[in-house]
Amino acid sequence: MNTKTHNPRSPSQPSCGHDGKQPEEKANTPKISEQRDFGYFSVTTSNYTSTYLTAFLLTGVPGLEDFQILSIPFSFMYLLALIGNGLVMAVVAWDRNLHESMYLFLAMLALNDVLLCTVTVPKMLLIFWQGPSLSTFPACLTQMFFVHALFLSESAVLLAMAFDRYVAICAPLHYATLLTGSLISKVALTLVARSVAVVTSGVLLILRLHFCQSNIIRHTYCENMGIAKLACNSITLNSIYGLTAALLTTGLDFVFISLSYWVILRTVFRLPSREARTKAFGTCGAHICVILIFYTLAFFSFFTHRFGNHVPRHALILLANLYLLVPPTMNPIVYGVKTKEIRMKVRGLCNQLK
């Protein structure tokens, strides 16, 4: 599919050869063209029996393409996410007293959050400001890969943080011996490997599809099923794999996190001292808030996309953007408010910069 400027030649005036006769059509190359006007340029989509696309056209939020004011809250949230998570990473790297598993996992989460929103938000803002935006086929697949891989790794980091809290509260005597620097490094590598393996399979399933229809994606970023639905052949395998992968990764992560916190809460309520219970709740409170924000938005978006047939399309796309942007924005705020050590170190770092 190619994007080109509007040709002034009328469709009813075909070009002729040197002898004045109309050239014959090539056999077995059916072509159906339709003109789609997007204001300041035209996009011609052609129906060929070809599996190659030059680009996809991202049109933004359906029905809200002209509402540029929406870029203001998204820009503000993106700026907050960059500043907040940047401060968390700087504080953990700056203070050697915070080189413990709890804070190292928090720094991993902050890095993942910065990457996750950076993969999607700049392109989304460009669409809000300049209208529909072309994305080449390789660029679209690359964005899809990082969106899904970073989302999976975010869920895995939350699981690692839940395990950290479980050991700290339920087996405090073994905390230092279990959660060593070596183990944390192995956990980080495992998280990356899991995300890459799961998402790479999804990309390979996209590459097997034949695209011969429209190249228009009514979204602000490239995602798995948004691309797959443009294919001419069956996407049943893609749909089954996407659902299975989501349940066996993010779904299982949530189950294990819930089980770990059920055991943690049982242990906390059995503590004899009220002060000890308060301290234990304090260390887990921030993590519970972050988990609720992330999984509530993620599951709500996931199920409304698959089963919410009566939900307006613009609401689904806005929700798909919010569940990737709200957690990176809120995580550093929640940890800054709930975690005394992070709050004090951020103040110290800011005073030192002055």
Side-chain angles (χ1 to χ4, degrees):
M1 309 245 174
N2 295 320
T3 302
K4 55 186 178 182
T5 57
H6 184 68
N7 190 345
R9 184 188 298 273
S10 171
S12 62
Q13 298 174 346
S15 59
C16 299
H18 294 294
D19 58 356
K21 295 181 180 180
Q22 182 177 343
E24 293 184 0
E25 293 268 338
K26 291 184 179 180
N28 301 323
T29 55
K31 178 179 179 181
I32 302 171
S33 298
E34 68 177 305
Q35 201 76 8
R36 298 179 185 265
D37 190 11
F38 290 93
Y40 51 87
F41 64 88
S42 297
V43 177
T44 302
T45 60
S46 301
N47 187 358
Y48 290 93
T49 56
S50 170
T51 59
Y52 299 100
L53 283 177
T54 57
F56 291 105
L57 186 74
L58 296 168
T59 62
V61 183
L64 302 178
E65 292 88 352
D66 296 329
F67 285 78
Q68 295 183 352
I69 194 171
L70 286 175
S71 65
I72 296 176
F74 282 105
S75 300
F76 180 68
M77 292 170 68
Y78 180 51
L79 186 62
L80 278 181
L82 292 181
I83 294 174
N85 289 291
L87 282 173
V88 170
M89 288 187 287
V91 163
V92 174
W94 171 59
D95 195 325
R96 295 188 64 85
N97 293 326
L98 297 181
H99 290 185
E100 299 177 1
S101 59
M102 173 182 174
Y103 303 107
L104 292 175
F105 285 135
L106 181 56
M108 289 182 198
L109 184 68
L111 176 61
N112 195 90
D113 283 340
V114 169
L115 295 175
L116 181 60
C117 56
T118 300
V119 166
T120 57
V121 176
K123 186 75 170 181
M124 175 184 63
L125 294 178
L126 185 67
I127 293 172
F128 276 131
W129 295 331
Q130 298 184 1
S133 175
L134 280 173
S135 182
T136 65
F137 188 71
C140 203
L141 287 184
T142 302
Q143 186 184 44
M144 168 197 145
F145 174 86
F146 281 107
V147 165
H148 293 293
L150 290 168
F151 177 79
L152 290 182
S153 61
E154 177 113 349
S155 177
V157 171
L158 292 176
L159 176 61
M161 295 174 74
F163 177 71
D164 173 83
R165 292 299 83 206
Y166 169 79
V167 176
I169 293 176
C170 300
L173 298 179
H174 302 287
Y175 185 77
T177 56
L178 282 177
L179 293 166
T180 61
S182 174
L183 178 64
I184 294 172
S185 300
K186 291 176 182 177
V187 168
L189 290 174
T190 303
L191 302 185
V192 173
R194 186 188 79 158
S195 299
V196 170
V198 172
V199 180
T200 298
S201 300
V203 172
L204 293 176
L205 288 175
I206 290 289
L207 292 175
R208 61 176 270 279
L209 297 175
H210 297 265
F211 296 95
C212 59
Q213 300 185 39
S214 173
N215 65 337
I216 297 183
I217 300 177
R218 303 191 184 282
H219 209 309
T220 57
Y221 60 85
C222 298
E223 53 92 22
N224 183 29
M225 293 309 296
I227 300 174
K229 286 179 180 178
L230 299 179
C232 299
N233 50 331
S234 174
I235 61 170
T236 302
L237 184 59
N238 299 68
S239 182
I240 292 174
Y241 179 80
L243 181 60
T244 304
L247 292 176
L248 293 180
T249 53
T250 309
L252 278 182
D253 290 346
F254 181 71
V255 170
F256 289 137
I257 290 172
S258 301
L259 288 175
S260 66
Y261 270 96
W262 179 69
V263 177
I264 287 171
L265 291 176
R266 283 185 59 193
T267 305
V268 168
F269 283 123
R270 291 176 180 175
L271 293 175
S273 169
R274 181 179 179 181
E275 183 180 352
R277 288 196 298 269
T278 303
K279 184 178 179 180
F281 277 124
T283 59
C284 297
H287 191 212
I288 292 175
C289 290
V290 167
I291 289 169
L292 290 176
I293 293 170
F294 178 78
Y295 285 106
T296 300
L297 286 171
F299 287 141
F300 186 73
S301 178
F302 179 80
F303 286 115
T304 51
H305 266 81
R306 289 186 175 269
F307 306 111
N309 297 326
H310 301 294
V311 180
R313 182 67 182 170
H314 67 272
L316 294 177
I317 302 303
L318 285 174
L319 185 60
N321 284 281
L322 288 174
Y323 93 85
L324 295 180
L325 184 57
V326 171
T329 304
M330 295 301 300
N331 289 353
I333 296 174
V334 170
Y335 280 109
V337 172
K338 293 286 187 179
T339 309
K340 180 180 178 182
E341 292 80 2
I342 294 292
R343 185 170 63 250
M344 293 179 62
K345 299 300 181 183
V346 167
R347 287 178 181 174
L349 181 60
C350 293
N351 292 332
Q352 194 174 49
L353 292 175
K354 291 179 182 180

